[in-house]
Amino acid sequence: MSSIKAPRGVRDILPDESWKWEYVFAVTRKAASDFGYREVHLPVFEHTELFSRGVGETTDVVEKEMYTFEDRAGRSLTLRPELSASMVRSYLENRMDRQHQPAKLWSAGPMFRYERPQKGRYRQFWQIDFEAIGSQDPFVDVESVELSLEIFKRLGLSNLEVVVNSVGCPVCRPVHKKALQDFLRPRLNDLCETCQARFDRNPLRILDCKNPSCRALTDDAPGTISCLCEECSEHFEVVKKGLEMIGASFRIDNRLVRGLDYYTKTAYEVLSGDLGAQNAVCGGGRYDNLAESIGGPHTPGVGFATGVERIVLTMEQQGCSFGEAPNIEVFVISADGPSREEAVRALYDMRRAGISADIDYTGRSFKAQFKAAGGSGAVFACILGPEEVASGQVTLKDLRTGEQKSVRRAELTDFLKTRLR
Ligand code: AMP
């Protein structure tokens, strides 16, 4: 029988990598709290309707990428492909509109999208998501960009580019849609099949096509900014001014329309110059109509999500620090027989005294145990053989310097505490 492997597009995050994730979470958690965002834990699956109505029927995510299944009672459920729709659902359901506005919330966890896997693109991937719900102030958009940049700065990331656009609102979007369709109509037959299919339903997404010939054909297509209504235009001006105020260097990209339909006004991405094809480390924007599309009252909101795998990849590529790898402090080396029990007792004593310690459980030779101690990253090897037990001593070897010292067993934990702290 062949052994079972993980499904395509998912990864095990093993100990050599998971401590790096912990570092990213710790830095992010602190930045979130410094900016007044509070954490929520959201369900991994939701009613399918939340995403089909919230994210948009004609988006790639909803049309092709969702993991949808029926539960035993015949309800259609979907593994979340993103977090904004869930966050807004939770805001509405838990009447967070009664609290101080905007509700500034963050959440982290795995997302699921049936995409073609490649480096930096997986079918299960982790996002950290930040949403400010309940304010239309353009300075909240600016704060959202600022928070993403602050997190990346604290993580030591460089070579990043901020791209910004305004995708308008239900007032100006039809104007743009018509202008875009007028421009595209004579070129329609030369566009790829996907773009042709989008022409009637969602022509805006044609601007997002990665096909080089479609890109060339739409080079001079009217962008959203040229059709903004007065309100969206004013909003965009304040956002740009705010970004200048925070010293963010940004580029306006008229083609940036993002893959999710709910965006209104501001849309932005932070791109890394070190990621290759999947170069977005973060994406976000304003979604003033999302709440209504899932059956709530009009509730403006703005937010962004960043991908943990891509952050870690970029940090590795740029040689950023992840802090110190968590290692145990003491590795206990013991012999078979009565001294073994004494060694285990010493292990427990150390742990109770707050010293992190481990021992070999595979009955290996002294030599192999020394090797394991060296590989464990421990600072000290604590040797407890028959001689040590007979004399009421332990031998401590500093694994960094090779220096060896006998210490009275009764003084072991006190001695280690002064040497380790
Ligand atoms: P989106 O929700 O598509 O705007 O994505 C927000 C961020 O999540 C992106 O900038 C990426 O960092 C990350 N991301 C999106 N899709 C994937 C994926 N399939 N695999 C890994 N990371 C992803």
Side-chain angles (χ1 to χ4, degrees):
M1 214 183 352
S2 61
S3 62
I4 297 168
K5 302 268 191 324
R8 186 165 138 80
V10 307
R11 295 170 69 231
D12 300 315
I13 310 303
L14 301 176
D16 281 348
E17 188 181 346
S18 63
W19 68 276
K20 297 178 179 175
W21 284 48
E22 277 315 308
Y23 178 75
V24 171
F25 286 126
V27 169
T28 307
R29 184 178 293 278
K30 176 74 173 65
S33 121
D34 291 346
F35 275 63
Y37 282 72
R38 294 185 307 152
E39 187 173 13
V40 286
H41 296 291
L42 296 168
V44 165
F45 58 85
E46 298 267 8
H47 290 293
T48 301
E49 241 189 318
L50 176 69
F51 304 115
S52 52
R53 279 167 44 186
V55 176
E57 293 280 8
T58 60
T59 58
D60 280 354
V61 168
V62 171
E63 275 186 338
K64 304 182 204 158
E65 296 171 3
M66 293 204 302
Y67 283 90
T68 298
F69 59 97
E70 264 190 15
D71 73 3
R72 286 170 192 275
R75 300 176 194 96
S76 179
L77 300 173
T78 291
L79 296 181
R80 61 186 180 192
E82 59 102 56
L83 268 171
S84 303
S86 300
M87 201 75 103
V88 172
R89 194 255 324 126
S90 174
Y91 169 96
L92 296 171
E93 191 169 339
N94 295 295
R95 294 303 312 262
M96 289 190 226
D97 58 315
R98 292 175 175 165
Q99 302 168 8
H100 177 73
Q101 300 296 295
K104 301 204 319 190
L105 309 165
W106 75 276
S107 191
M111 307 299 138
F112 307 86
R113 291 183 196 171
Y114 192 80
E115 291 193 272
R116 203 157 43 81
Q118 64 184 83
K119 190 174 181 200
R121 188 163 74 191
Y122 312 101
R123 288 183 175 169
Q124 174 177 325
F125 58 95
W126 275 64
Q127 279 187 346
I128 312 177
D129 180 82
F130 301 82
E131 309 292 350
I133 308 170
S135 165
Q136 44 204 5
D137 187 336
F139 280 110
V140 189
D141 309 31
V142 177
E143 185 182 88
S144 173
V145 180
E146 188 186 16
L147 174 56
S148 61
L149 293 178
E150 179 65 21
I151 290 168
F152 299 145
K153 186 168 122 197
R154 291 188 193 185
L155 290 170
L157 289 177
S158 54
N159 196 13
L160 297 176
E161 185 182 28
V162 184
V163 284
V164 190
N165 192 17
S166 174
V167 295
C169 71
V171 174
C172 40
R173 251 205 220 155
V175 179
H176 176 253
K177 186 175 175 182
K178 174 153 188 325
L180 187 58
Q181 282 173 326
D182 289 346
F183 173 89
L184 291 171
R185 200 166 287 109
R187 299 160 173 85
L188 195 54
N189 290 337
D190 300 321
L191 293 172
C192 74
E193 258 177 46
T194 316
C195 284
Q196 290 189 19
R198 282 176 174 154
F199 179 78
D200 284 319
R201 291 207 296 165
N202 197 352
L204 190 64
R205 298 273 293 120
I206 295 177
L207 296 178
D208 199 28
C209 182
K210 300 286 178 284
N211 189 323
S213 70
C214 294
R215 284 195 90 86
L217 280 168
T218 54
D219 240 2
D220 300 321
T224 44
I225 294 173
S226 60
C227 302
L228 293 183
C229 66
E230 204 178 317
E231 189 196 315
C232 288
S233 192
E234 276 169 18
H235 189 98
F236 194 45
E237 287 308 312
V238 180
V239 170
K240 285 191 288 185
K241 193 158 174 210
L243 291 177
E244 277 159 21
M245 273 163 56
I246 62 166
S249 72
F250 62 96
R251 173 167 67 80
I252 294 170
D253 182 353
N254 228 338
R255 302 182 78 108
L256 180 76
V257 295
R258 316 257 307 118
L260 317 166
D261 266 0
Y262 49 60
Y263 287 110
T264 52
K265 299 190 169 113
T266 315
Y268 77 95
E269 279 185 345
V270 180
L271 310 177
S272 161
D274 291 293
L275 272 179
Q278 301 305 315
N279 63 348
V281 277
C282 132
R286 181 163 277 284
Y287 45 80
D288 291 347
N289 302 316
L290 174 55
E292 271 168 300
S293 69
I294 60 170
H298 180 76
T299 314
V302 57
F304 69 94
T306 179
V308 180
E309 287 84 354
R310 289 197 199 165
I311 289 181
V312 172
L313 264 174
T314 316
M315 287 178 71
E316 283 174 343
Q317 235 141 38
Q318 296 184 350
C320 301
S321 164
F322 290 95
E324 261 189 48
N327 287 320
I328 52 157
E329 293 164 314
V330 181
F331 195 95
V332 180
I333 292 177
S334 69
D336 276 344
S339 66
R340 168 84 174 155
E341 202 180 302
E342 199 41 52
V344 172
R345 199 164 281 140
L347 173 75
Y348 294 163
D349 281 353
M350 283 187 262
R351 286 182 181 159
R352 273 189 207 121
I355 298 160
S356 60
D358 208 352
I359 197 168
D360 174 64
Y361 289 111
T362 57
R364 281 186 277 189
S365 68
F366 246 58
K367 200 172 152 205
Q369 289 185 56
F370 265 110
K371 212 169 154 201
S376 72
V379 180
F380 286 104
C382 170
I383 303 140
L384 259 153
E387 278 170 36
E388 279 86 1
V389 172
S391 63
Q393 308 258 330
V394 302
T395 305
L396 281 179
K397 181 175 179 184
D398 188 322
L399 293 165
R400 294 164 304 189
T401 61
E403 184 194 338
Q404 214 157 286
K405 187 178 169 52
S406 282
V407 176
R408 281 168 51 84
R409 170 68 180 85
E411 286 157 15
L412 174 63
T413 52
D414 285 344
F415 177 85
L416 282 170
K417 274 204 265 186
T418 54
R419 292 293 293 268
L420 287 167
R421 309 285 180 246

